[in-house]
Amino acid sequence: MKKLLLILTAAVASGTLMTSCFKGLGGVGGEVTGVYGRAYDEPQPYGMVLVKRGSMEVGAQQGDSLWNDLPEKKGITVDAFWMDEKEVTNAQYRQFVQYVRDSIIRERLADPSYSGIDEFKIEEDKYGEPVTPHLNWSKAIPWRRPNEDEQIAIESVFKVNPVTGEKGLDAAQMNYRYEVFDYKAYAQRRYRMNPEERNLNTDVATNWDEEIIITKDTAWIDENGNIVRRTITRPLTSEWDFVNTYIVNIYPDTTVWVNDFANAYTEQYARYYFSNAAYDNYPVVGVSWEQATAFCAWRTEFLKRSYGMRGIRIEPFRLPTEAEWEYAARAANNEQTFSWKTNMPHTERGCFDGNFKPGDGDYSRDGYIITSPVGSYSSNDFGLYDMSGNVSEWTSSAWSEAGVHQASDINPDYEYNAAKEDPYRLKKKVIRGGSWKDAEHYVRADVRTWEYQNMPRSFIGFRCVRTYLGTNKGVANITKSQAKKSKKSSSKAAKAPKAQRSASARSVRR
């Protein structure tokens, strides 16, 4: 009896301790009412618009005998997401390049073999405890009046053309390293660390000695300064096996203007399009899918840095899926083939709705010969500019002839992360929207095409998206009758007692 009493006393004490750790649960017993967090609507990201969740039929609604296109429509639904209202510009991408440039300079200013200035690298906190070494961005680079060692460190990222004598950034050094946690692979049951969780079929005995093999991407710089990329295969040991490392040279290929057009004088674009301020507000080109993906990773980290230690969790910037891109371009309208409403590329007055190739050998009738400044034409119904024409845009989706028909009908995304050793044909990525060099057919928002992921072009750019995290701004459009009914319910709720209104408000939080 004494032993039983001790057990009961311990249980009561344990229960008391447990409830003291979870305050606000309404006492030690009663009805289950739930534990609610604080509702959150994230602020609108700079330069982005909210694309509300909804459904539509993607793909060509009608066949086109002239282009041998067959109908391939499929009903899909996408969740809400933020999307750049305009394509990423030269000025925005140049900020990325300069960030990488300044990172290299800071590393070398802290390097004893250059300047050895400790202030450019933080290796311990304010209490003297060691931390993961990282650059000190509050310490300004001595651009003016550097000493001899500092000058060597700064000048090391530039080079002089031996023929023309022009000084410029050494593009070969502009390498950006980033890491990605592959959550999709991590979430798969077959990769669980606990063998009992890999197969939930209780008729199958758990193999405690089973060796699980994973593949992951890694990269490093060799002793000659070259980027080495490998996809390695090894036994699963920890969550770190799902971290992929990438090193990408992020400087745009300015020679694409010459390489894309044989027997044409395009050298002036190669020399000035990315570097001259006259093209600041034009879409960046000469950027491969790999470079665009690196930009998204950097943009995410750059935003996180602004929040500091008190930062909120944010969804990463990324390239849109093919389905997201088409849904946004056509403004969720099954009847639209372009990003504008009509089936004509210009208004009745002859004003063009986008930048493309209006006729045989005629690039200028729409107002521009090559690209146009972003936002030069009217936006679509979602407030997005240049979804048809100007530059084609990278998506995150891998190319497949089947397109969205190969993917789910909820947030469709056909993804294939090609290894370096894979055949080149497996490294195709979907591009959408058509460009300044394309005829009218190819700027339709329901037309698909592709390019290799490592291939930069003078007619391909990109824009970023970010999955929306929030409560009410991401709701789908509602009808007038639904809105009237909602307004009536809100009015009725406003007259209810305060306690009742609070309970009602809590019940609809997500």
Side-chain angles (χ1 to χ4, degrees):
M1 177 66 72
K2 187 178 291 185
K3 183 176 181 181
L4 177 62
L5 181 61
L6 283 172
I7 293 173
L8 288 173
T9 305
V12 172
S14 174
T16 304
L17 177 63
M18 186 67 74
T19 54
S20 67
C21 294
F22 294 89
K23 296 181 180 179
L25 294 184
V28 294
E31 296 289 351
V32 175
T33 59
V35 178
Y36 297 93
R38 188 174 69 176
Y40 171 66
D41 279 318
E42 62 178 340
Q44 179 174 352
Y46 177 78
M48 288 187 145
V49 298
L50 180 63
V51 177
K52 297 180 180 180
R53 67 173 181 250
S55 60
M56 71 171 294
E57 289 181 342
V58 295
Q61 302 293 303
Q62 297 178 344
D64 189 334
S65 58
L66 178 64
W67 296 92
N68 197 29
D69 287 340
L70 299 175
E72 54 173 1
K73 58 186 178 181
K74 175 182 178 178
I76 58 103
T77 298
V78 296
D79 211 339
F81 58 94
W82 298 104
M83 189 175 213
D84 282 334
E85 65 175 356
K86 299 173 184 176
E87 292 152 339
V88 173
T89 65
N90 283 319
Q92 291 172 319
Y93 197 87
R94 204 179 297 136
Q95 185 177 357
F96 180 29
V97 173
Q98 291 188 1
Y99 174 93
V100 174
R101 177 201 68 186
D102 292 354
S103 298
I104 297 171
I105 292 175
R106 281 187 164 83
E107 285 280 3
R108 291 175 182 172
L109 286 169
D111 189 342
S113 62
Y114 282 91
S115 299
I117 304 174
D118 295 338
E119 290 88 341
F120 281 100
K121 202 163 213 180
I122 299 173
E123 298 183 347
E124 57 183 37
D125 60 20
K126 61 182 179 181
Y127 303 108
E129 296 296 324
V131 296
T132 302
H134 57 280
L135 296 177
N136 180 12
W137 286 89
S138 62
K139 176 70 173 175
I141 295 174
W143 295 105
R144 296 182 177 180
R145 302 190 189 91
N147 61 37
E148 185 177 352
D149 289 337
E150 293 169 342
Q151 183 72 20
I152 293 174
I154 293 172
E155 292 293 330
S156 67
V157 298
F158 296 92
K159 71 174 185 178
V160 177
N161 188 306
V163 177
T164 65
E166 293 177 323
K167 177 183 174 182
L169 205 58
D170 186 359
Q173 295 188 53
M174 299 299 107
N175 299 323
Y176 178 68
R177 180 185 184 276
Y178 68 100
E179 294 180 335
V180 176
F181 181 74
D182 188 351
Y183 183 81
K184 187 174 287 188
Y186 169 76
Q188 292 182 35
R189 193 166 285 119
R190 58 179 172 157
Y191 292 133
R192 297 288 169 87
M193 301 300 297
N194 183 354
E196 289 183 306
E197 297 177 354
R198 293 173 191 156
N199 190 339
L200 301 183
N201 185 349
T202 55
D203 292 337
V204 179
T206 300
N207 181 1
W208 293 92
D209 298 321
E210 181 182 14
E211 186 176 63
I212 302 300
I213 304 298
I214 60 96
T215 60
K216 62 176 292 182
D217 295 332
T218 188
W220 65 91
I221 304 291
D222 67 15
E223 57 185 12
N224 297 319
N226 299 315
I227 299 174
V228 180
R229 302 175 186 174
R230 291 286 185 273
T231 299
I232 59 176
T233 301
R234 70 183 188 193
L236 175 65
T237 58
S238 74
E239 289 80 0
W240 285 99
D241 289 322
F242 299 100
V243 176
N244 296 307
T245 302
Y246 301 98
I247 300 177
V248 179
N249 183 276
I250 53 91
Y251 200 87
D253 183 356
T254 57
T255 68
V256 290
W257 296 99
V258 176
N259 287 291
D260 287 344
F261 299 96
N263 303 319
Y265 182 72
T266 51
E267 295 176 24
Q268 69 276 28
Y269 307 134
R271 287 195 296 265
Y272 301 122
Y273 184 83
F274 181 67
S275 59
N276 194 293
Y279 291 101
D280 279 354
N281 206 35
Y282 285 66
V284 66
V285 297
V287 172
S288 68
W289 181 89
E290 294 167 350
Q291 292 172 316
T293 302
F295 177 92
C296 294
W298 165 77
R299 188 173 176 180
T300 303
E301 291 305 313
F302 193 66
L303 180 60
K304 283 182 178 179
R305 273 184 46 207
S306 69
Y307 290 128
M309 295 300 293
R310 297 183 300 277
I312 57 176
R313 179 179 178 179
I314 65 169
E315 278 292 294
F317 292 97
R318 55 184 174 82
L319 295 176
T321 66
E322 181 179 8
E324 286 174 332
W325 190 96
E326 184 172 336
Y327 175 84
R330 297 171 64 187
N333 187 343
N334 293 340
E335 306 303 319
Q336 282 187 214
T337 54
F338 296 96
S339 60
W340 50 82
K341 285 186 175 179
T342 66
N343 288 326
M344 298 293 291
H346 52 74
T347 65
E348 293 180 356
R349 296 182 179 180
C351 298
F352 282 86
D353 291 312
N355 180 10
F356 61 101
K357 185 180 179 181
D360 185 19
D362 182 359
Y363 293 88
S364 62
R365 190 147 46 99
D366 55 16
Y368 299 92
I369 295 180
I370 56 168
T371 56
S372 58
V374 295
S376 294
Y377 302 88
S378 298
S379 66
N380 72 356
D381 286 351
F382 279 174
L384 301 166
Y385 295 86
D386 301 316
M387 295 297 284
S388 291
N390 210 14
V391 290
S392 298
E393 298 177 12
W394 290 112
T395 72
S396 63
S397 301
W399 170 262
S400 165
E401 293 289 346
V404 293
H405 293 279
Q406 189 163 334
S408 171
D409 57 3
I410 176 173
N411 294 325
D413 183 25
Y414 175 60
E415 180 181 352
Y416 181 75
N417 188 20
K420 181 179 182 295
E421 298 76 18
D422 276 342
Y424 199 40
R425 59 183 172 81
L426 297 180
K427 300 176 182 179
K428 298 175 181 177
K429 302 297 182 183
V430 176
I431 57 173
R432 299 296 296 263
S435 74
W436 59 271
K437 74 161 189 65
D438 292 317
E440 174 187 329
H441 173 78
Y442 291 106
V443 298
R444 283 174 42 170
D446 62 347
V447 169
R448 313 174 62 237
T449 188
W450 57 268
E451 186 52 88
Y452 293 105
Q453 65 184 46
N454 66 342
M455 180 65 74
R457 292 290 193 181
S458 60
F459 47 85
I460 301 179
F462 69 100
R463 72 180 77 211
C464 303
V465 299
R466 225 176 76 189
T467 302
Y468 173 77
L469 295 180
T471 53
N472 51 23
K473 286 186 179 179
V475 299
N477 293 324
I478 59 176
T479 64
K480 290 183 178 179
S481 60
Q482 289 173 318
K484 188 175 182 181
K485 191 180 295 183
S486 176
K487 185 176 181 182
K488 186 176 180 181
S489 300
S490 299
S491 176
K492 187 176 180 181
K495 297 176 182 178
K498 183 176 180 181
Q500 184 178 336
R501 294 202 305 271
S502 299
S504 175
R506 287 195 298 270
S507 67
V508 298
R509 287 181 179 173
R510 298 180 182 181

